[in-house]
Amino acid sequence: MIQEKERLCRNIEKREEIYSRISQKIWEYAELGFKEHRSAKLLQETLEREGFQVETGLAGIPTAFKGTFGSGGPVIAILGEFDALPGLSQKPGTDVQEKREDTDCGHGCGHNLLGTGSLAAAVAVREYLDRSGKPGTIIYFGCPGEEKGSGKTFMAREGCFKGLDAVFCWHPWDVNGLFASSSLADICATFIFHGKASHASASPHLGRSALDAVELMNVGCNFLREHVIPEARIHYAITNAGGNAANVVQETAAVYYEARAPRLNQAFEIFERICEVARGAAIMTGTSYEMVRGDGFSDYIPNKVLGKVLMENFQEAGAPAFDHADHELAEKIRDTFSEQMIQEAAAAVENQHGENAAAAMEGKVLADIVLPVNPLKSTMPGSTDVGDVSYQAPTGQILTACKAFGTPGHSWQEVSQSGSSIGKKGMLTAAKVMGMAAIDVFRNPKIAEDAKKEFDAAVRGGYHCPIPEEIKPDL
Ligand SMILES: [Zn+2]
């Protein structure tokens, strides 16, 4: 390992206690999306103390912020998240499901680690820039409302990530490796049908049922499902069934739709067909409808040049070194999983990292290896707002082991481990790998040039935000 990277790793290790404390505080706060005031403040104060210039209220969101250090290019950004999930209150570091008394929320996606690990990387890179005297800028982006709110999509809509040379991010996971998969673009909207109320028995001919329209729209979309690309997903939920009186023709009813596809333009195409089905349902039932767009996500475009840099450094830094106590806790937590959950985890590893990776993880409770990159292209069957960042700047993302293999996302088991030393070890590994990768980009600007070339080719059609201008973040 070159001396500069060794120094960077030592810098992170030296401040281990500080980062543990910050991540534990954010874990305790367990604030929901766009309400992460205390968590954001803690991160901002730390950045300011470290010499970063902090700007708050990005994209009109009070808890969105950035901390900038340095001047000139390359400009490298590291993304942090810090929002929790509702209904996941859980005590830390235990294999027993037990709620905390002081909150109903919990860090079931490990974003307390995510926000802090990225901060640790940014601070260590700042020290490198300071010492080396190299030109360059490091920016920490505080990205709120990931779980429900599409925070980064709103930030991207305002152009927050435009012009960055490289973006690095990570996510707590149950294995170590590159997030080389793409994800699905997602467009959401609510369709509200308006009919005429009437006595359903005495004068049904005078009524026009909005509920009929919702039902026919759903039937139409269920038939549509066969005639879209197989990777696409169409989901719906009836959000207003028009009341619970069967003897009244339902005047108003509403249904919420999501159209997902591997690329944003494909999702838009499918969404337009869904709108046509809604129009058809309104015509059939003599009702009218309005469509209210909601959140959305672009697909994630992993940048291969940045991915390669991340992987080289991940191999060098190695997997987190878990100790005996970590293994003991992980084993007890694993005892709470069903056999099917473990099989699902193996299938997910195979999808994301390839066949060899699944075999390599067999029998392991905590991931002590860095998995190879899947030679085949794969798509994660979900959506992330990092996708919108990847449409504005070359983006590379890693995963580090912060929980027992097979721990499902958004579970009490994950909340417990996000507040344990298992999570913190994975967090520091992520900080090192992202920081080392940033050093490579600062030392060799050709990396940024190559990443940009690849990026330009991948987003040739430009960026069309999946959230229209009139939709405001749900603060
Ligand atoms: Zn997450």
Side-chain angles (χ1 to χ4, degrees):
M1 196 183 283
I2 61 168
Q3 206 187 21
E4 283 149 322
K5 291 184 186 175
E6 250 166 35
R7 274 213 187 109
L8 175 125
C9 292
R10 271 209 305 276
N11 173 295
I12 292 167
E13 281 160 12
K14 224 168 51 203
R15 294 162 194 239
E16 186 184 335
E17 242 172 80
I18 299 172
Y19 298 133
S20 284
R21 207 170 46 233
I22 295 172
S23 77
Q24 201 62 24
K25 276 268 166 244
I26 298 175
W27 187 94
E28 279 165 24
Y29 296 155
E31 296 169 297
L32 296 180
F34 297 140
K35 297 191 170 58
E36 320 93 327
H37 298 284
R38 292 208 284 170
S39 307
K41 191 159 172 263
L42 180 58
L43 294 165
Q44 288 163 11
E45 282 170 357
T46 312
L47 285 167
E48 266 166 1
R49 243 196 332 270
E50 294 291 342
F52 285 76
Q53 198 152 12
V54 174
E55 192 185 328
T56 58
L58 303 184
I61 304 168
T63 50
F65 64 95
K66 67 175 177 179
T68 307
F69 179 88
S71 60
V75 183
I76 300 179
I78 299 179
L79 308 179
E81 298 169 9
F82 32 82
D83 59 332
L85 286 153
L88 272 180
S89 173
Q90 166 65 34
K91 289 188 175 162
T94 166
D95 62 315
V96 182
Q97 185 173 13
E98 200 179 343
K99 279 190 190 308
R100 285 164 60 187
E101 273 119 51
D102 53 341
T103 180
D104 189 41
C105 308
H107 272 287
C109 209
H111 293 181
N112 62 311
L113 305 169
L114 207 172
T116 312
S118 295
L119 175 95
V123 168
V125 171
R126 177 203 65 84
E127 203 186 64
Y128 159 78
L129 282 176
D130 224 7
R131 196 180 39 237
S132 69
K134 278 209 180 298
T137 305
I138 180 79
I139 305 178
Y140 176 92
F141 272 100
C143 305
E146 191 277 337
E147 293 296 355
K148 196 180 176 293
S150 304
K152 293 183 206 66
T153 313
F154 283 105
M155 290 166 79
R157 195 175 73 182
E158 303 304 314
C160 283
F161 310 105
K162 248 191 208 157
L164 299 168
D165 291 301
V167 176
F168 292 120
C169 56
W170 75 289
H171 202 289
W173 217 251
D174 60 353
V175 292
N176 302 294
L178 186 70
F179 192 107
S181 309
S182 58
S183 65
L184 297 176
D186 190 4
I187 300 181
C188 314
T190 301
F191 295 83
I192 306 158
F193 289 89
H194 301 286
K196 276 195 201 102
S198 188
H199 194 293
S201 184
S203 53
H205 53 290
L206 297 179
R208 297 290 180 269
S209 170
L211 180 59
D212 286 358
V214 164
E215 289 195 65
L216 284 168
M217 177 175 178
N218 293 346
V219 169
C221 286
N222 283 326
F223 276 94
L224 176 65
R225 277 180 168 146
E226 197 189 1
H227 304 286
V228 295
I229 50 172
E231 302 86 355
R233 295 282 182 271
I234 301 173
H235 327 290
Y236 60 81
I238 298 176
T239 54
N240 176 5
N244 49 17
N247 59 354
V248 180
V249 174
Q250 289 81 2
E251 189 170 30
T252 308
V255 59
Y256 173 76
Y257 264 83
E258 291 190 34
R260 293 196 216 234
R263 291 309 301 261
L264 186 59
N265 56 352
Q266 295 169 323
F268 268 120
E269 269 169 40
I270 292 165
F271 180 70
E272 268 163 38
R273 291 169 73 188
I274 290 172
C275 292
E276 284 295 284
V277 174
R279 201 163 71 89
I283 292 170
M284 282 191 280
T285 52
T287 59
S288 62
Y289 81 97
E290 53 181 320
M291 186 262 291
V292 180
R293 289 277 299 278
D295 288 355
F297 302 100
S298 296
D299 49 295
Y300 173 58
I301 307 171
N303 188 278
K304 290 194 193 75
V305 172
L306 296 185
K308 188 167 167 277
V309 174
L310 282 168
M311 269 315 276
E312 282 164 6
N313 284 294
F314 212 154
Q315 299 290 2
E316 210 173 338
F322 296 110
D323 61 23
H324 182 69
D326 297 329
H327 276 279
E328 252 183 8
L329 174 62
E331 260 161 48
K332 280 194 213 148
I333 290 213
R334 192 183 163 112
D335 286 343
T336 68
F337 302 163
S338 66
E339 199 43 51
Q340 197 193 351
M341 279 158 73
I342 295 163
Q343 280 164 14
E344 291 285 330
V349 164
E350 192 169 325
N351 174 46
Q352 277 224 349
H353 303 275
E355 224 174 297
N356 296 342
M361 277 306 296
E362 217 183 305
K364 288 190 190 299
V365 179
L366 280 171
D368 55 0
I369 48 167
V370 179
L371 294 178
V373 177
N374 191 355
L376 304 170
K377 191 174 156 31
S378 67
T379 303
M380 178 193 77
S383 305
T384 162
D385 62 0
V386 179
D388 292 87
V389 182
S390 76
Y391 267 81
Q392 294 204 321
T395 305
Q397 186 168 197
I398 54 162
L399 307 166
T400 69
C402 292
K403 52 185 183 177
F405 184 55
T407 304
H410 299 194
S411 62
W412 68 264
Q413 290 97 331
E414 174 145 13
V415 182
S416 166
Q417 292 170 91
S418 298
S420 79
S421 92
I422 298 175
K424 283 166 193 124
K425 290 198 176 80
M427 169 181 89
L428 295 181
T429 295
K432 288 177 189 171
V433 176
M434 292 188 296
M436 288 162 72
I439 288 182
D440 278 338
V441 180
F442 284 126
R443 280 167 53 97
N444 179 8
K446 173 104 175 25
I447 294 173
E449 277 167 39
D450 291 346
K452 176 80 168 37
K453 257 184 230 156
E454 183 192 327
F455 166 78
D456 285 341
V459 296
R460 240 188 324 260
Y463 173 59
H464 304 286
C465 185
I467 306 180
E469 212 46 58
E470 70 272 14
I471 304 297
K472 299 274 173 278
D474 184 12
L475 303 176

